Amino acid sequence: MERTMGNGELRLTNVGEEVTLLGWVANRRNLGGLLFIDLRDSTGIVQLTCLHPEQVPEVKSEYVIEAKGKVAKKENPNKNLPTGEVEVIVDSIKVINKAELTPFIIADQTDALEDTRLQYRYLDLRRPCLLHNLKVRAKVCSIFRDYFDSKGFLEVETPILNLSSPEGARDYLVPSRIKHGSFYALPQSPQLWKQLLMVGGVERYYQVAKCFRDEDLRADRQPEFTQLDEECSFLSQDQILSLNEGFLARVFKEIRGVDIKLPLRRIKYWDAMDFYGSDKPDTRYGLCLFDLKEYVYPSGFSGMGEGDYVRAIRVEGQGKAISRKLLDELNAEARKFGLKGLFSLKREGDEISGSFAKFLSEEQKQALKDKLGMKDDELILFASSPYRRDVDFGLGAIRSWFAKHLGLIKPNTFDLLWVVDFPMFDPVEGEPGKYVAEHHPFTRPRDEDLPLLDSKPEEVLAYAYDIVINGYEAGGGTLRIYDHDIQWKIFRLLGLTDEDVKNKFGWFIDAFRYGAPPHGGIAFGLERLSMILCGTDNIRDVIAFPKNLSAGDPLSHAPSPVDPDQLEALAIEVKKGE
RNA sequence: GGACCAUUGGUGUAGCGGCCUAACAUGCUUCCCUGUCACGGAAGAGACCGCGGGUUCGAAUCCCGCAUGGUCCGCCA
């Protein structure tokens, strides 16, 4: 058994060669006196042609076989296959291993749902599209390493067994056997370690880092995932962004053949919220939000207060098309984000109708037509709330609903941009003077905003940046605080006592007393990037063995109860479930 | 923690109170077929309709509970 080449590599230039091929039987077409076999391996599929089927041993789907024969030019090429111009005229076929009937069809166009495929992931992975996704993912990693190697970065591995921190996401805990009652935490990210590497003088670090977060899952969120993580010293935010743009441009060029225009667009956080109702806007289409308050307040509707935010989305040509049923659907969408619902206005000829029309005066209706320029058959949907976040996020969701509904998203387009100038703090709703960190407490406030720390913390912006691609947050980072005094000021604003800080971060911030360099970094979500490059909206499509929404593995059935002896060794007792 | 949707031969769906002794596609088995490439043609096997209650003369179909899967909200510094 000596394979001469991969099945998917055969081309016209190989015609006449004697070859030995190995692989799986993807399909058979038996024409009686003539038998065709599609042979698949990791490189692709090629057609075997058996002129004497009676001499061929019985082969069925997914049998592993060895085929010897001669490459020939096909008279009728198959343009759906890279190898479609050639076939292999078979001399002999040997069955290497038989296969039972598989539970689903092993082909890109399969019949099974994801649940079934995940139970037999090893069969699912034989499908060329899945393998392709893994190749894309691997290519992103190899470009990452190559690019940052060439920029003088050092790959460093940071610990997997870490000190647990109550901040941020829920930790996955690992009990200590040596020290009963104590636990390690799996890393949520290598954040603190990479900063210590900067204090340690490494200057330029990167890592392909596995991260773990024990939070609920989503179509684009898994409990274990991989970050392409970097950190560097002595670079400005602009330098870091352009360094990383170079990386992204290579990724899109080498994997998708797309030229990304550099430098990338940068949009301020509050502008993103204003125009798109999202801090990760999908900028492949318009439908921007706008302020409608001057047109509809005050009105006959008493539920709208003077301090309320009133924002809207206008959709041309949808006034008549929008049905009661669709409006209900949109209202349900809006309510998810804390809105009470949506109001509608439409123009039909000279008439303004819709759910809010009855609250408006004739002058207001006229203004909609004249001043706002509302067109015939135009639909305006709007919402009001004292909470800006609710209005923005709610309408942001409506915006993307319409984009999907109206088919505004062109396939195979990539729109990359940086969202910058994130606020440093997020005020806690209903508790004035209380704040949580928007990113993390080590994020550096912008120099020009430092005076605001004492007076208006909610207005302080940070050196924080996210890379947004097609509406996905594909990565993000910040410059970090290296000044001891500013760090303490932030801690106090976040309501942390000296005691808290010492217990939670003492081991970390002590390092900053010994000459920490200015530093900052970024982390890309490898899966998110791979999803976008593969054109899928399901994160499981780019993970070899993903977890399901209950954070379980449908294949191995992890997690599971463990042997009492194991618990005994760890001095752990499990409460009996009700 | 919450909302919504789904669960029917191996696989994917249809059926939505009696025409169901459950349909279609695909896969599988057998036979025919020398240029197919989603091959084609013929015949056949394969399902107590997720589980447990209830309503009804009658339930795959309606109701309740549970389980599993998915999508979303909260959560994800």
Side-chain angles (χ1 to χ4, degrees):
Chain A
M1 173 165 39
E2 194 113 325
R3 168 200 240 176
T4 44
M5 70 230 307
N7 302 336
E9 293 161 4
L10 286 164
R11 294 292 183 277
L12 276 178
T13 52
N14 301 106
V15 167
E17 291 176 24
E18 296 284 345
V19 295
T20 301
L21 303 177
L22 285 148
W24 288 265
V25 174
N27 197 11
R28 288 161 300 156
R29 289 176 294 280
N30 190 346
L31 277 63
L34 187 60
L35 172 66
F36 299 105
I37 295 172
D38 290 339
L39 192 66
R40 181 190 62 237
D41 65 12
S42 67
T43 61
I45 290 175
V46 72
Q47 173 169 287
L48 308 178
T49 302
C50 310
L51 300 171
H52 304 286
E54 68 284 357
Q55 293 166 13
V56 173
E58 183 180 57
V59 293
K60 298 188 183 181
S61 287
E62 300 310 314
Y63 276 28
V64 180
I65 63 169
E66 179 194 69
K68 289 180 188 290
K70 194 181 225 177
V71 183
K73 182 176 189 293
K74 273 173 95 171
E75 284 178 30
N76 304 310
N78 178 358
K79 52 185 181 304
N80 298 320
L81 232 47
T83 62
E85 290 188 293
V86 296
E87 62 187 345
V88 174
I89 308 298
V90 167
D91 289 330
S92 69
I93 281 182
K94 196 167 115 196
V95 173
I96 310 281
N97 208 349
K98 295 186 175 186
E100 286 182 24
L101 180 61
T102 56
F104 55 88
I105 299 169
I106 315 279
D108 281 355
Q109 295 290 316
T110 187
D111 51 358
L113 294 184
E114 193 183 26
D115 188 31
T116 312
R117 295 197 284 112
L118 288 181
Q119 283 170 38
Y120 300 91
R121 188 59 153 181
Y122 44 87
L123 297 180
D124 199 25
L125 290 171
R126 287 186 196 168
R127 298 195 302 136
C129 57
L130 254 287
L131 186 60
H132 170 261
N133 290 355
L134 293 186
K135 287 177 181 173
V136 165
R137 180 187 170 120
K139 185 71 184 164
V140 175
C141 284
S142 81
I143 294 171
F144 178 67
R145 287 200 164 96
D146 185 62
Y147 181 84
F148 285 97
D149 281 343
S150 77
K151 300 288 183 188
F153 281 65
L154 184 71
E155 180 166 13
V156 181
E157 290 172 276
T158 53
I160 294 294
L161 299 175
N162 292 283
L163 181 71
S164 175
S165 145
E167 310 296 308
R170 209 174 284 117
D171 282 325
Y172 273 101
L173 295 176
V174 179
S176 163
R177 180 182 55 82
I178 308 293
K179 207 171 168 188
H180 285 172
S182 286
F183 295 81
Y184 302 99
L186 301 182
Q188 296 181 23
S189 92
Q191 181 62 37
L192 301 185
W193 294 119
K194 68 175 175 175
Q195 289 193 241
L196 292 184
L197 287 174
M198 295 305 106
V199 179
V202 170
E203 281 195 36
R204 292 177 174 217
Y205 138 95
Y206 76 83
Q207 180 180 197
V208 179
K210 284 299 283 256
C211 302
F212 306 85
R213 294 178 188 175
D214 190 5
E215 295 294 345
D216 286 350
L217 294 83
R218 289 284 191 283
D220 64 350
R221 225 159 69 188
Q222 284 269 305
E224 61 174 302
F225 60 99
T226 304
Q227 284 187 345
L228 302 177
D229 194 46
E230 334 143 17
E231 192 80 7
C232 49
S233 300
F234 308 124
L235 291 189
S236 68
Q237 174 169 314
D238 277 343
Q239 287 175 308
I240 291 176
L241 296 195
S242 68
L243 180 70
N244 280 283
E245 289 175 355
F247 162 63
L248 290 168
R250 259 193 70 180
V251 164
F252 279 87
K253 180 70 185 171
E254 290 182 30
I255 296 177
R256 294 300 305 252
V258 173
D259 287 302
I260 301 293
K261 215 179 122 207
L262 300 184
L264 295 181
R265 221 147 27 103
R266 295 174 196 184
I267 180 171
K268 292 177 176 158
Y269 171 87
W270 284 116
D271 288 340
M273 292 302 289
D274 269 349
F275 293 129
Y276 303 106
S278 170
D279 57 357
K280 45 183 165 72
D282 191 338
T283 45
R284 288 174 295 175
Y285 52 92
L287 290 181
C288 288
L289 315 185
F290 66 102
D291 202 309
L292 191 71
K293 192 160 182 182
E294 59 173 305
Y295 294 95
V296 295
Y297 182 86
S299 71
F301 179 67
S302 59
M304 195 184 291
E306 197 180 337
D308 285 3
Y309 294 91
V310 184
R311 299 180 51 74
I313 182 170
R314 57 196 298 188
V315 197
E316 285 177 30
Q318 288 298 304
K320 290 188 203 72
I322 198 81
S323 66
R324 181 59 198 258
K325 190 168 164 247
L326 289 179
L327 275 176
D328 284 348
E329 203 178 309
L330 285 162
N331 266 299
E333 189 68 20
R335 274 193 289 270
K336 284 184 189 169
F337 294 87
L339 295 175
K340 289 196 178 73
L342 295 169
F343 296 109
S344 65
L345 287 169
K346 6 183 195 179
R347 174 169 179 180
E348 291 171 77
D350 222 25
E351 283 298 302
I352 300 284
S353 62
S355 67
F356 204 77
K358 60 176 176 276
F359 300 115
L360 295 177
S361 66
E362 281 312 310
E363 291 73 36
Q364 283 173 313
K365 289 180 184 172
Q366 202 58 46
L368 283 171
K369 287 181 273 187
D370 300 343
K371 204 170 150 205
L372 185 63
M374 198 175 175
K375 294 197 176 76
D376 189 21
D377 200 25
E378 180 172 329
L379 171 71
I380 291 180
L381 290 174
F382 68 101
S384 78
S385 167
Y387 301 110
R388 177 172 173 175
R389 278 181 87 88
D390 292 354
V391 179
D392 284 343
F393 282 128
L395 284 167
I398 299 304
R399 177 177 171 266
S400 71
W401 185 96
F402 269 108
K404 281 194 201 92
H405 182 72
L406 301 174
L408 299 180
I409 301 167
K410 287 182 232 98
N412 295 319
T413 54
F414 302 100
D415 204 4
L416 294 81
L417 71 151
W418 294 103
V419 176
V420 298
D421 290 354
F422 278 77
M424 183 72 197
F425 304 102
D426 207 8
V428 178
E429 235 170 64
E431 294 185 58
K434 219 175 156 199
Y435 302 95
V436 292
E438 173 81 25
H439 261 262
H440 54 68
F442 314 111
T443 302
R444 197 163 126 210
R446 296 198 312 173
D447 293 335
E448 58 266 47
D449 294 339
L450 286 175
L452 294 170
L453 277 177
D454 296 313
S455 52
K456 296 175 185 159
E458 65 275 8
E459 290 182 17
V460 174
L461 302 179
Y463 293 114
Y465 34 84
D466 278 355
I467 181 73
V468 175
I469 310 176
N470 292 359
Y472 283 101
E473 182 194 329
T478 65
L479 299 189
R480 331 293 183 188
I481 299 170
Y482 53 91
D483 181 296
H484 206 254
D485 294 342
I486 296 175
Q487 184 66 73
W488 275 96
K489 204 166 222 173
I490 303 295
F491 282 145
R492 288 200 196 93
L493 268 162
L494 293 171
L496 294 170
T497 65
D498 291 11
E499 183 92 23
D500 290 335
V501 173
K502 196 165 163 264
N503 289 338
K504 291 174 183 170
F505 309 115
W507 63 282
F508 172 67
I509 61 162
D510 279 355
F512 288 72
R513 295 193 293 195
Y514 303 102
H519 60 288
I522 195 165
F524 295 101
L526 173 59
E527 287 85 3
R528 297 260 176 92
L529 262 182
S530 305
M531 280 168 69
I532 293 160
L533 290 160
C534 292
T536 176
D537 53 10
N538 182 345
I539 195 168
R540 294 171 223 109
D541 287 344
V542 298
I543 299 177
F545 300 103
K547 304 280 187 284
N548 65 20
L549 277 195
S550 319
D553 174 16
L555 210 174
S556 72
H557 299 111
S560 72
V562 294
D563 195 284
D565 290 348
Q566 290 175 282
L567 292 178
E568 179 70 33
L570 300 166
I572 288 177
E573 205 177 321
V574 176
K575 260 206 251 170
K576 291 270 178 286
E578 290 92 72

